[in-house]
Amino acid sequence: MQISFVGLLICAGILVIGYYCRAPLIIGLIVSLAFGATAVMTLSAIGGSSPLIYTFFAALLITAVVSRRRMWRDLGHVFGKIRPVWVLTGLMLYAVVGAWLFPRFFAGQTSVFVQAAMRRGVIEAPLAPVSGNITQTGYFVLGGITAIALCVLLLQENRLESIRRGFLLWCSVHVVFGFLDLLGKIAGAGDILWPIRTASYAMLTEVIENGFWRITGAASEASSFGGGSLVCLSFCYVYWRKTKSRVAQALAFLLLVLLLLSTSSVAYVGLAVLSIPVALSIWWSFLSGRMDKDEILIIALLALAAVTVLAIVLYDEEFFAPFVHLIDSMVLNKASSASGQERAYWNIKSLQAFVETGGLGVGLGSSRASSWPIAVASQLGLVGGVMMVTLLLVILRGMGSLKGHIDSETNAVVSSVQACALGSVAAGSLGAGSADPGMIFFIALAVISTSRVNARRSRDATLRTIQLGQPAPLAYRPATH
């Protein structure tokens, strides 16, 4: 085991910021997600795996909850109030058993794509136990236990302010590193963020695509950075629309710029997908005659951009030729490229493995796909897939009919975290290789689940008060929207 001193220094700095914000563990966990290529150590005993620094904060958070004097009572409260936690626990147990059993039970009966042991890259090989069974299952279980620990903390007291600060700080750090990386490359300095890239996997940080530098920020490659930009943009946009926050508005604009410059097909396609509900929302506001000034601003900016592009094309037809070639190669013709065909073949083999294992799956970490839903099906099988879909539906539902029993700020934070998680799912569906949905998914699950419990508590208190013939207390009166 090799300790990364750079990773430890960054962890210490994040802890100081979190302590200043009076929530070192929650804020530290969220902010550490911005460092997608910074490891806290390298574990040579299990294939050279290098856990990223968010695992350090997740472990600290879990330790803090476990060391509480009323830990068992708090856990009982969580399992008694939040039914999705039972599904999450069952999924973790199924993933652990499947990661050990299925690669051995179905060994040699199907072929999968796995990370090469002696050289970089992905190779096709007969199904067999690999180090990924340990590492990816470990990350998945860590995320699930972190969600339960967060449920304990969020049920005990209102910590949504810490969640809000953590996400805004994460988005800010992501923006800073994105522009630093871009400016360094434009200035000819190359990868100026290489000192913080301490993870052991391949770093594709100095790549040019059709004359454009690919932005990687603090991530290991442009697609990871583009996916992170999409996730952060989802949070900032929803929070801005809900609260009119100028900070969130500025971050949303900067994240959109970085996303457009990222040269990531995941980011471009994901943005197109997530733009559909935004466009429908604005169209519904227009039809109902309730458009606000922010929606008018969005339409005005889009119209101005369209007019500007048209004017430039009329002046110089070849001005946008490099941009057209970039979109053509990264999005329109991506599927016909060698990389696109290779990843499509990964997905085909993953679906084939699902069928050849009778729908049980090959075990978490046994294979590599290029889409999160396909990875879930091939690795977790039908049983695990149903449990994963159940948790996804919890996030999709959000607060539902309980929105009226929480205040406007709580609704804004929960809705923004929900959008962030859905953005993560969208990005993962376009290129993720593992069935692990990621830490954002688990954080959102905890935030939404506990907020629903608190909203039901407020609703019940309001009903009891009304039944007694007294006016509802201010703290429990439904929020008006």
Side-chain angles (χ1 to χ4, degrees):
M1 181 177 70
Q2 294 179 329
I3 301 296
S4 170
F5 293 102
V6 173
L8 290 180
L9 284 175
I10 293 176
C11 288
I14 294 175
L15 279 173
V16 171
I17 295 174
Y19 179 79
Y20 178 77
C21 296
R22 299 181 180 180
L25 298 183
I26 293 178
I27 290 179
L29 172 64
I30 299 173
V31 173
S32 64
L33 297 173
F35 297 85
T38 306
V40 70
M41 65 181 70
T42 300
L43 304 174
S44 54
I46 50 176
S49 175
S50 50
L52 300 180
I53 61 173
Y54 81 85
T55 60
F56 171 77
F57 287 95
L60 282 181
L61 182 70
I62 294 170
T63 302
V65 171
V66 170
S67 61
R68 293 165 68 96
R69 187 181 307 173
R70 301 173 51 187
M71 189 265 292
W72 293 111
R73 184 182 300 179
D74 293 340
L75 278 179
H77 189 54
V78 168
F79 278 85
K81 295 288 186 180
I82 305 176
R83 284 174 291 182
V85 169
W86 289 97
V87 179
L88 175 60
T89 304
L91 180 57
M92 287 191 290
L93 292 174
Y94 183 83
V96 171
V97 173
W100 181 86
L101 178 63
F102 295 154
R104 292 167 173 82
F105 186 77
F106 296 109
Q109 297 185 28
T110 186
S111 60
V112 293
F113 280 91
V114 294
Q115 190 71 32
M118 302 302 295
R119 59 186 178 86
R120 299 182 186 276
V122 178
I123 60 172
E124 186 175 2
L127 178 62
V130 292
S131 61
N133 295 127
I134 300 175
T135 56
Q136 293 189 28
T137 303
Y139 290 137
F140 182 81
V141 172
L142 179 66
I145 297 177
T146 301
I148 297 174
L150 271 176
C151 286
V152 170
L153 296 178
L154 293 173
L155 279 183
Q156 293 303 311
E157 56 182 290
N158 185 9
R159 299 175 183 265
L160 284 182
E161 174 62 18
S162 300
I163 297 291
R164 182 189 71 86
R165 289 184 180 182
F167 273 91
L168 288 177
L169 282 171
W170 171 34
C171 297
S172 300
V173 173
H174 184 86
V175 166
V176 169
F177 280 134
F179 279 106
L180 282 177
D181 181 59
L182 177 61
L183 293 176
K185 290 171 179 176
I186 293 177
D191 183 15
I192 62 175
L193 298 177
W194 66 265
I196 67 172
R197 306 188 198 278
T198 59
S200 60
Y201 39 79
M203 300 291 173
L204 304 177
T205 58
E206 297 190 62
V207 180
I208 297 178
E209 183 70 37
N210 288 292
F212 294 89
W213 279 106
R214 305 201 71 185
I215 306 175
T216 55
S220 59
E221 58 180 352
S223 61
S224 297
F225 177 81
S229 300
L230 186 69
V231 171
C232 291
L233 177 60
S234 300
F235 177 89
C236 291
Y237 176 80
V238 173
Y239 190 75
W240 164 48
R241 294 301 310 277
K242 292 283 185 179
T243 65
K244 313 302 180 184
S245 167
R246 294 307 174 192
V247 173
Q249 182 186 37
L251 285 173
F253 174 76
L254 294 174
L255 285 164
L256 179 61
V257 172
L258 284 174
L259 189 148
L260 295 175
L261 296 176
S262 67
T263 70
S264 168
S265 56
V266 170
Y268 294 156
V269 177
L271 179 62
V273 171
L274 295 182
S275 296
I276 295 175
V278 174
L280 291 176
S281 174
I282 295 176
W283 179 248
W284 176 253
S285 297
F286 173 75
L287 292 178
S288 59
R290 295 183 301 178
M291 293 188 66
D292 58 26
K293 62 179 182 180
D294 289 329
E295 291 174 325
I296 296 175
L297 175 63
I298 293 173
I299 295 175
L301 290 176
L302 290 175
L304 178 61
V307 171
T308 303
V309 169
L310 180 60
I312 293 175
V313 169
L314 291 175
Y315 179 76
D316 185 358
E317 294 182 359
E318 299 299 322
F319 182 86
F320 288 108
F323 300 95
V324 173
H325 291 316
L326 175 65
I327 297 299
D328 186 58
S329 62
M330 297 305 300
V331 179
L332 301 180
N333 291 326
K334 182 68 174 180
S336 61
S337 66
S339 174
Q341 292 177 354
E342 180 183 18
R343 290 178 178 273
Y345 185 57
W346 294 358
N347 289 335
I348 292 173
K349 294 300 295 184
S350 295
L351 293 174
Q352 182 179 338
F354 170 79
V355 174
E356 292 177 347
T357 58
L360 291 176
V362 297
L364 189 59
S366 294
S367 64
R368 176 71 182 267
S370 187
S371 175
W372 179 67
I374 294 177
V376 169
S378 63
Q379 296 179 19
L380 297 178
L382 183 61
V383 175
V386 169
M387 288 189 281
M388 185 69 79
V389 169
T390 302
L391 298 178
L392 179 59
L393 289 176
V394 173
I395 295 178
L396 281 170
R397 179 179 59 175
M399 295 304 298
S401 60
L402 294 172
K403 283 183 179 180
H405 299 279
I406 56 177
D407 61 86
S408 58
E409 178 63 23
T410 298
N411 179 51
V413 174
V414 175
S415 299
S416 302
V417 173
Q418 176 192 26
C420 189
L422 294 178
S424 177
V425 170
S429 299
L430 296 171
S434 172
D436 184 358
M439 186 58 72
I440 290 299
F441 183 94
F442 293 113
I443 293 174
L445 182 65
V447 170
I448 292 171
S449 299
T450 53
S451 297
R452 288 186 62 86
V453 172
N454 293 330
R456 283 195 294 266
R457 187 184 304 159
S458 298
R459 180 194 60 189
D460 295 342
T462 302
L463 291 176
R464 285 194 300 269
T465 304
I466 294 175
Q467 289 172 357
L468 292 174
Q470 299 175 0
L474 289 176
Y476 298 119
R477 288 180 185 172
T480 56
H481 301 285

